[in-house]
Amino acid sequence: MDTLRTLCNLQLEKKPSHAKRAPEAEGRRDKRGRGIPFSLFIVRYFMYVLVGAFLVAGIVVSLLITAVDSGMLYPGNYASINHESMVGEIEARGTVTADDVPSCYRWGVFDGENRLIEGDFDARTLELAQGFLREDALDQEVYSSLLSSPIYATSASLANGNTCVLVYDFNPDFASKTLRDSLPDPQGTMLAIGVVLFAGMVAAVAMRASHMLRRKLSPLVDAAERIGERELDFAIAYGNVRETNEVLAAFDAMRTSLKTSLEEQWAAEAAQHEALSALAHDLKTPLTIVRGNADLLAETKLNDEQTGYARFIQEATDDMEDFIGRIIDVTRFSTESKTDAGKPVSAHAICNQVTREAKALANAHAGVLAVHVGHIPSQACVRGNGIAEAVLNLVDNAFEYGNPPVTLTCDFRKEKQEEEREVEASDCIGWLEIIVQDEGDGFSKAALARATERFYRDDAARTHDGHHGLGLAIAQERTRACGGELLLDNTDQGARATLRLPCTKASI
């Protein structure tokens, strides 16, 4: 009774832990206010872009100035400043040739009917020149646009009565007519170079900002990953950005709260397991007395009714002994760690043991068992302590709650799927899969969610006596102790239980 009272008290106890967290919370508040605002972090890179834009503009302007100073380019205003003197020179000579006209002008000679005789006009410039002649002007703007510099035209009278028209704008031009005619406009080229340089600079700043942002957020990622893996005994590394420190402080509070909660839960579970195990052992003595007296009673001279009562007591005692044994079994495996999973053994040996004992169990049930063993590498080893009993629990459930035939499959799978949990062992070479499948109605939704809980029974499906909802719980505990996992699902045929164990090349 003392053990039972202790077990009940464990369910009601709650440890006050808020007082302990006050200093930690105060420390988190201090760290939360440290660091620069995230807005300044962003402004810094906007300033980088602004400074880079000025540098790019300076480079483009310097290139233009250098090209002009070297004589490679005419300044943008060269044609406008010198057009009057150019007209005077042509009229003084009375004739004009291509060598007489600098490359910053487009020129053409027209007769009295405005027909082009010679020159270097393209189709667009020719149209502008002919429009200029129809206006009968000496010097005027012939084209203007918001997106480009205006175009001007001027004329000079030749000795033979023809007219020479010069067309120019305010853009720099190559001093060489060959370069002028074969390359894009120098100003447009320089702008294109500036755009490319600016884009490269923005990309470099963005990459730098991305790298720095990852560094600033790395403590968040590290803390989230550790907490997700239940690694709660670590110190969070704060950064120098105020907003991330606020999030990290919240993570730290969550870590501390979760750690305290889990420690209390683990301590309570350990105490419950100990009390439950002690209770099971305490019950053995009175149960042995009941069983012994029932056996003695059965040996005396009894009538049929009394004999039936004695038999009922014996059967109930058997059930209680089995139940107590299962309680001791499940509590023992709940407290074991993965280091107690035994030494690595051959996956072949595990499969042989499992199939042999499953066939014996099938004979006991007078059921049909189909066994399939795939190709399993000879060097594949698993930690299989207790795995045979786990599989036998699955096979027993399949015979009890499903329809024959029951199928047992042992196979090796090298590749892991994304949804499968990671294995800590770096030398994992694949997975040993042991699948037990029946052709019954399958698991209910509630059973899929809770079937591996201790003492859970799906009343709609489990109507047989002598079962206490511990078989799947024991199977899961033993599988986890060996570093594996137990998955339950339904197929088109019925229920399926898949036991997966990581395989290594460990020596046997």
Side-chain angles (χ1 to χ4, degrees):
M1 292 301 295
D2 292 338
T3 305
L4 182 60
R5 189 178 297 110
T6 302
L7 180 62
C8 295
N9 290 337
L10 285 170
Q11 301 289 341
L12 300 176
E13 285 185 356
K14 290 184 179 179
K15 299 180 181 179
S17 58
H18 301 287
K20 298 179 182 179
R21 299 178 190 174
E24 297 178 3
E26 189 66 29
R28 285 193 295 271
R29 282 196 294 270
D30 293 342
K31 294 174 181 177
R32 185 182 302 174
R34 298 178 183 176
I36 63 172
F38 194 71
S39 57
L40 292 182
F41 176 80
I42 297 175
V43 167
R44 177 195 303 175
Y45 289 95
F46 274 115
M47 293 299 297
Y48 289 164
V49 172
L50 183 61
V51 171
F54 281 115
L55 289 176
V56 169
I59 291 173
V60 170
V61 172
S62 298
L63 290 174
L64 284 172
I65 292 174
T66 301
V68 170
D69 291 343
S70 65
M72 184 179 180
L73 296 181
Y74 284 114
N77 62 350
Y78 180 87
S80 176
I81 293 175
N82 295 283
H83 76 278
E84 292 182 354
S85 60
M86 192 68 203
V87 168
E89 292 177 4
I90 292 174
E91 290 183 342
R93 287 193 303 269
T95 59
V96 63
T97 63
D99 295 335
D100 299 330
V101 181
S103 62
C104 57
Y105 298 100
R106 292 284 182 172
W107 67 281
V109 176
F110 296 86
D111 60 15
E113 296 181 358
N114 294 340
R115 289 178 298 189
L116 180 64
I117 299 174
E118 61 177 324
D120 59 3
F121 288 142
D122 53 24
R124 178 173 176 271
T125 311
L126 175 61
E127 182 180 352
L128 295 176
Q130 289 175 336
F132 168 74
L133 290 174
R134 285 193 294 271
E135 294 289 335
D136 196 20
L138 296 178
D139 189 3
Q140 72 173 21
E141 179 182 304
V142 295
Y143 176 79
S144 64
S145 173
L146 294 175
L147 300 178
S148 61
S149 64
I151 299 176
Y152 295 86
T154 186
S155 62
S157 299
L158 302 180
N160 58 5
N162 293 332
T163 302
C164 176
V165 177
L166 303 177
V167 178
Y168 60 93
D169 55 24
F170 281 88
N171 291 326
D173 287 294
F174 288 105
S176 167
K177 290 185 179 181
T178 302
L179 294 178
R180 181 198 67 180
D181 295 336
S182 59
L183 297 178
D185 174 61
Q187 181 169 286
T189 302
M190 292 300 177
L191 288 177
I193 293 174
V195 169
V196 172
L197 291 176
F198 182 77
M201 179 271 300
V202 170
V205 171
M207 291 176 63
R208 175 64 178 174
S210 175
H211 174 71
M212 293 301 298
L213 187 59
R214 282 197 299 270
R215 285 184 56 186
K216 302 299 182 185
L217 297 180
S218 61
L220 291 176
V221 177
D222 179 67
E225 289 178 349
R226 289 189 172 192
I227 293 175
E229 296 172 356
R230 291 193 175 188
E231 181 187 346
L232 305 177
D233 192 13
F234 69 95
I236 288 182
Y238 288 85
N240 61 352
V241 178
R242 185 179 303 167
E243 286 79 3
T244 57
N245 284 344
E246 291 176 355
V247 179
L248 285 169
F251 269 71
D252 201 16
M254 179 175 65
R255 177 193 65 82
T256 302
S257 177
L258 184 59
K259 179 183 177 183
T260 302
S261 176
L262 286 177
E263 286 176 347
E264 292 175 355
Q265 177 185 340
W266 293 334
E269 287 180 354
Q272 288 176 12
H273 293 157
E274 183 179 351
L276 191 60
S277 180
L279 177 61
H281 282 91
D282 290 346
L283 287 174
K284 277 189 171 184
T285 299
L287 191 60
T288 301
I289 296 173
V290 172
R291 176 60 183 267
N293 282 275
D295 291 341
L296 292 174
L297 184 62
E299 293 176 0
T300 62
K301 186 176 181 180
L302 303 173
N303 58 34
D304 292 341
E305 183 178 2
Q306 292 171 335
T307 301
Y309 294 154
R311 186 175 65 253
F312 292 152
I313 295 174
Q314 290 173 327
E315 291 175 353
T317 303
D318 290 338
D319 287 343
M320 291 181 67
E321 286 180 342
D322 178 67
F323 182 46
I324 291 173
R326 285 178 177 268
I327 290 177
I328 295 173
D329 203 15
V330 73
T331 53
R332 176 168 59 86
F333 274 92
S334 296
T335 56
E336 287 182 351
S337 65
K338 289 183 180 181
T339 57
D340 300 321
K343 296 181 179 179
V345 296
S346 168
H348 274 292
I350 291 294
C351 292
N352 291 337
Q353 179 186 4
V354 165
T355 55
R356 182 176 61 254
E357 296 184 9
K359 289 177 181 178
L361 182 60
N363 292 333
H365 280 280
V368 179
L369 177 68
V371 176
H372 302 288
V373 179
H375 174 70
I376 301 174
S378 58
Q379 73 273 21
C381 298
V382 297
R383 295 185 180 273
N385 186 23
I387 290 301
E389 185 171 351
V391 175
L392 290 182
N393 277 323
L394 301 179
V395 174
D396 185 58
N397 278 354
F399 279 116
E400 289 287 346
Y401 310 121
N403 297 326
V406 173
T407 304
L408 173 63
T409 303
C410 298
D411 205 352
F412 175 83
R413 187 156 61 85
K414 185 175 182 180
E415 298 297 330
K416 294 185 300 181
Q417 296 179 357
E418 291 183 1
E419 66 270 15
E420 294 177 355
R421 70 175 178 84
E422 295 293 331
V423 178
E424 294 179 359
S426 59
D427 57 350
C428 178
I429 62 171
W431 295 80
L432 174 64
E433 287 192 345
I434 302 176
I435 303 172
V436 178
Q437 183 174 338
D438 61 50
E439 296 188 1
D441 297 330
F443 294 105
S444 66
K445 290 184 179 179
L448 285 174
R450 302 184 54 197
T452 56
E453 295 178 8
R454 301 183 193 97
F455 309 113
Y456 174 79
R457 293 183 62 187
D458 190 352
D459 293 335
R462 302 190 175 200
T463 58
H464 298 271
D465 294 331
H467 292 269
H468 312 288
L470 290 172
L472 290 177
I474 293 175
Q476 176 165 269
E477 293 289 348
R478 297 194 174 188
T479 304
R480 286 180 175 175
C482 295
E485 59 185 346
L486 175 64
L487 302 177
L488 304 178
D489 64 343
N490 292 321
T491 66
D492 295 337
Q493 288 76 29
R496 177 172 60 187
T498 303
L499 189 153
R500 290 185 179 138
L501 295 173
C503 296
T504 66
K505 288 185 179 181
S507 58
I508 302 173

